[in-house]
Amino acid sequence: MTPTIAPRVRTLVLLLLAAAGLLLGGAAPASAHAALTGSDPRQGAVVDKAPTQVSLTFSEQVSMSADSLRVLDPKGTPVQRGKPSNVSGTTYAVQLHSGLPDGTYTVTYQVVSADSHPVSGAYTFSVGAPSSTSVSVSDGTAGGGVVGWLYGFGRYMSYAGFVVLVGGAAFVLACWQRGSGVRAVQRLVVSGWLTLTSATLVLLLLRGSYTGSGKVGDIFDLDLLGQVLQTKTGAALVSRLLLLAAAALFIAVLFGAYDKREGQEKRDLTFGLAIGGFVVAAGLAASWAMSEHASVGLQAGISMPVDVVHLLAVATWLGGLTALLVALYRAPADTPVDPAAVRRFSSVAFGSVVALVLTGTYQSWRQLGSWSAFTDTRYGQLLLVKIGLVALLVGIAYISRRWTAQLADTVVQRSKQAPQKEQVTAGGSKGAGDAKRAAQLARQQAAMDVARQKRERDADPNRFGLRRSVLAEATVAVVLLAVTTVLTQTEPGRTEQDAKAASSSSSSSSSSSSNPSSGAVTLDMSFDTGGEDGKGVVRVDLDPARVGANEMHVYVERPNGRAFDIPEVKVAFTLKTKDIGPLPVVPDHITTGHWAASGVQIPMAGEWTVAVTVRTSDIDQTTVSKNAQIG
């Protein structure tokens, strides 16, 4: 006996909510997509005199507000002055009050990364000597709590709405044009539009609190909303709402005038709807690409259009699958989804999977950076789960394709045979004015027709097998969509490994290190100029240590690890095997014991000699050097 549609729908809804709850609830509270890769003073550093500023370097550009970067004295009193500023590239600094006493200071930050996710954290450094502090050093909760969960669920629902809207409309236009007159398919596509529109409005309201205080009471703060509208994410959400207005017009034509057209007029309208629908769908996909992972990092100019194609492929496949499932279960007997439409969708789905694999492979390389990131990072582990689900989905789709072939071979052309209806007669009553009795007979006849249509729809075992396999596909697709949503909120593997490398470099006392995931090179060299206060260690950080422009930081410390200033520091790069150099670089003084230079050009890959000239007085200086593989 064929199960009814209601229990299956309830099962799908429960599965959707369970998957969303488990996966979104298990997400980290703060998705630090911009990793802190350096700071000055460094974490745990002890400096001789109070610095004039504190600077932080991130793996990508971030957005800061007036209180995004704070420095607290041992009693918890803020000692920064003015607003944080962008010093250079991805380095941000805030000025400090003069005359700060000795003790341990706490640096706290809460910023928004370029891919729209909040980032927070804290660390300490000391002036003179470490001391007790009343400030509790702990990571912030940006993006966490109830607001964080609501924001994550809103993102999931927006993806789900986009998939159903775009995929359902594409299924009707490309595979089953008769479906434009099927009410169940109409309701599906309209529900996708309503879901995406509602979720977008909710995300717009939640955004200010999500990236700021995390308080539920701030959701309806109009000042915060005004600030959100000035950000890249706010502009993307508003653009999405405007495109959804155009999508509403598209839906009205698709399920209104379109079904009534015939012949050449309908073909012309199909072409117009296909072009307009593609432009609107691509614009909706771009509202994600322009504000999330694809918009930052390596090859952003290539990554954003690739991400648009990726999202459109996902929507066409999974949304079309949902529309096919609804058509198989809910299409009336006089408008059944025919095998030709299923075959067309199978071809469209195959093309979507090919596009999905190609774009997904590129994005995976871009976000992971190394094979080890598959197992060593949360992003990589989730990506492996997603790959497994896609493989399972393709396997079930192959079974569906077999059912489709069998259905096409065994279809009985019942539409050419007028079915014999069971007639309900009125016995001996032939009164011409008996309207009540006629209405009763009409209701009985309608009930019998519905029952007959249901028997006809469920009679073919091949159609029943296809329905079951498509239902299995849709079930896996729900979980796949949840995993995809969590991936968008998870720190990319490349960034996570960069952050780990920076943390390791900060706490390591090794003389030379190189991180294969980020490419950054750190060289520690001891020096002794022979004069008073002439001993110490100079450290050179070169990032990303590749051919082209690099960012260089030079730190000078006493043997006890405390930063101190000297009159002059110069660096020179020489590639002896190619007779290139020395290429001189004179870094700018940033703060106590710290010099930096941006745009350091390395013309060729090879083993370079990095020579540092250190002058500790008018007459005392020395040059130390080490070799490093660059490029």
Side-chain angles (χ1 to χ4, degrees):
M1 179 179 178
T2 305
T4 62
I5 185 63
R8 295 178 183 273
V9 172
R10 285 198 296 269
T11 301
L12 273 177
V13 172
L14 289 174
L15 179 60
L16 184 151
L17 293 176
L22 288 173
L23 292 170
L24 296 177
S31 301
H33 293 205
L36 182 67
T37 58
S39 62
D40 185 26
R42 290 181 295 138
Q43 180 174 355
V46 180
V47 296
D48 282 342
K49 61 180 181 180
T52 58
Q53 68 175 17
V54 168
S55 64
L56 303 179
T57 301
F58 295 91
S59 59
E60 64 184 47
Q61 289 190 333
V62 299
S63 298
M64 285 196 171
S65 60
D67 58 350
S68 289
L69 179 54
R70 299 194 303 157
V71 183
L72 309 176
D73 67 12
K75 296 181 180 179
T77 303
V79 295
Q80 78 276 1
R81 57 185 178 89
K83 298 179 180 179
S85 60
N86 183 210
V87 177
S88 64
T90 58
T91 300
Y92 302 80
V94 65
Q95 301 298 314
L96 303 181
H97 292 297
S98 59
L100 297 180
D102 291 353
T104 296
Y105 289 79
T106 302
V107 180
T108 67
Y109 58 91
Q110 181 168 316
V111 300
V112 180
S113 63
D115 61 359
S116 79
H117 298 276
V119 182
S120 61
Y123 75 92
T124 62
F125 71 92
S126 299
V127 176
S131 68
S132 60
T133 176
S134 60
V135 180
S136 176
V137 179
S138 61
D139 286 343
T141 57
V146 175
V147 171
W149 188 92
L150 289 173
Y151 195 86
F153 187 74
R155 288 168 62 87
Y156 177 87
M157 296 308 295
S158 65
Y159 278 122
F162 173 76
V163 164
V164 171
L165 170 62
V166 173
F171 177 78
V172 171
L173 275 177
C175 305
W176 192 39
Q177 294 179 4
R178 292 183 65 195
S180 63
V182 175
R183 189 168 296 276
V185 176
Q186 294 175 357
R187 285 198 294 263
L188 175 72
V189 176
V190 171
S191 68
W193 183 89
L194 290 173
T195 299
L196 179 55
T197 303
S198 301
T200 303
L201 288 171
V202 169
L203 291 175
L204 199 57
L205 289 174
L206 289 171
R207 182 69 189 174
S209 178
Y210 172 69
T211 59
S213 65
K215 297 177 181 178
V216 177
D218 288 342
I219 293 176
F220 299 102
D221 189 325
L222 295 181
D223 290 336
L224 278 179
L225 180 60
Q227 296 172 19
V228 168
L229 294 177
Q230 300 176 30
T231 65
K232 181 172 67 172
T233 302
L237 291 172
V238 171
S239 299
R240 191 181 303 167
L241 288 174
L242 295 175
L243 287 166
L244 283 168
L249 178 61
F250 170 87
I251 293 172
V253 175
L254 180 63
F255 297 132
Y258 181 73
D259 190 48
K260 299 178 177 62
R261 297 295 189 270
E262 297 292 343
Q264 184 62 41
E265 188 178 6
K266 186 165 188 175
R267 286 191 291 272
D268 292 342
L269 186 55
T270 300
F271 179 78
L273 285 174
I275 297 298
F278 174 79
V279 171
V280 173
L284 290 171
S287 69
W288 277 283
M290 68 181 288
S291 62
E292 296 190 351
H293 287 169
S295 63
V296 295
L298 295 174
Q299 302 177 351
I302 299 175
S303 178
M304 284 191 286
V306 167
D307 198 49
V308 169
V309 174
H310 188 81
L311 287 170
L312 290 177
V314 170
T316 303
W317 183 21
L318 301 187
L321 188 67
T322 306
L324 175 61
L325 179 67
V326 170
L328 286 169
Y329 275 102
R330 301 303 300 273
D334 59 346
T335 315
V337 57
D338 53 276
V342 181
R343 284 197 301 270
R344 282 193 291 270
F345 174 70
S346 181
S347 299
V348 171
F350 178 77
S352 298
V353 171
V354 172
L356 193 65
V357 170
L358 293 176
T359 56
T361 300
Y362 169 77
Q363 295 289 31
S364 298
W365 164 81
R366 184 174 174 273
Q367 299 294 352
L368 288 175
S370 67
W371 290 106
S372 62
F374 269 112
T375 55
D376 294 346
T377 66
R378 187 167 183 267
Y379 187 94
Q381 293 162 1
L382 283 170
L383 187 58
L384 287 175
V385 173
K386 180 179 178 179
I387 293 172
L389 288 172
V390 170
L392 177 61
L393 203 54
V394 171
I396 301 174
Y398 174 74
I399 297 175
S400 297
R401 194 179 183 91
R402 293 180 58 189
W403 280 117
T404 302
Q406 294 179 25
L407 180 63
D409 293 339
T410 59
V411 158
V412 179
Q413 301 296 328
R414 294 188 178 92
S415 59
K416 296 181 180 179
Q417 302 174 357
Q420 296 297 322
K421 296 184 179 181
E422 302 175 34
Q423 298 293 332
V424 179
T425 62
S429 175
K430 296 184 179 180
D434 194 356
K436 182 176 181 181
R437 179 59 175 164
Q440 181 182 10
L441 291 176
R443 288 194 298 271
Q444 292 176 357
Q445 185 66 55
M448 293 174 63
D449 289 344
V450 170
R452 176 180 53 78
Q453 291 173 358
K454 188 178 186 322
R455 288 196 303 270
E456 290 179 355
R457 189 182 66 188
D458 298 339
D460 193 338
N462 294 315
R463 184 176 293 272
F464 177 57
L466 178 62
R467 282 164 46 173
R468 285 190 304 177
S469 63
V470 172
L471 178 63
E473 286 185 75
T475 302
V476 176
V478 168
V479 182
L480 176 63
L481 189 60
V483 174
T484 301
T485 304
V486 179
L487 268 174
T488 64
Q489 297 180 215
T490 303
E491 183 177 71
R494 186 188 296 269
T495 304
E496 183 177 338
Q497 289 193 328
D498 284 355
K500 290 179 180 178
S503 176
S504 174
S505 175
S506 177
S507 60
S508 174
S509 59
S510 62
S511 61
S512 177
S513 64
S514 176
N515 186 294
S517 67
S518 67
V521 166
T522 299
L523 301 173
D524 285 358
M525 294 167 271
S526 298
F527 66 84
D528 183 359
T529 62
E532 183 181 356
D533 205 17
K535 292 184 179 181
V537 177
V538 59
R539 186 175 81 251
V540 179
D541 288 344
L542 192 67
D543 188 14
R546 295 174 183 163
V547 174
N550 292 262
E551 187 169 344
M552 184 183 72
H553 293 268
V554 180
Y555 301 92
V556 178
E557 299 175 345
R558 299 183 190 278
N560 61 8
R562 294 185 180 181
F564 75 108
D565 279 340
I566 57 176
E568 186 179 27
V569 173
K570 295 186 295 184
V571 182
F573 295 85
T574 304
L575 184 60
K576 296 180 180 178
T577 57
K578 299 294 183 179
D579 197 24
I580 298 177
L583 307 177
V585 178
V586 180
D588 297 322
H589 184 257
I590 304 299
T591 188
T592 304
H594 180 202
W595 291 257
S598 59
V600 177
Q601 293 292 329
I602 302 297
M604 184 179 298
E607 186 174 2
W608 288 78
T609 299
V610 182
V612 183
T613 300
V614 179
R615 182 167 64 85
T616 57
S617 70
D618 291 339
I619 60 173
D620 298 317
Q621 77 173 37
T622 186
T623 299
V624 291
S625 65
K626 276 195 174 179
N627 292 342
Q629 183 66 35
I630 302 176

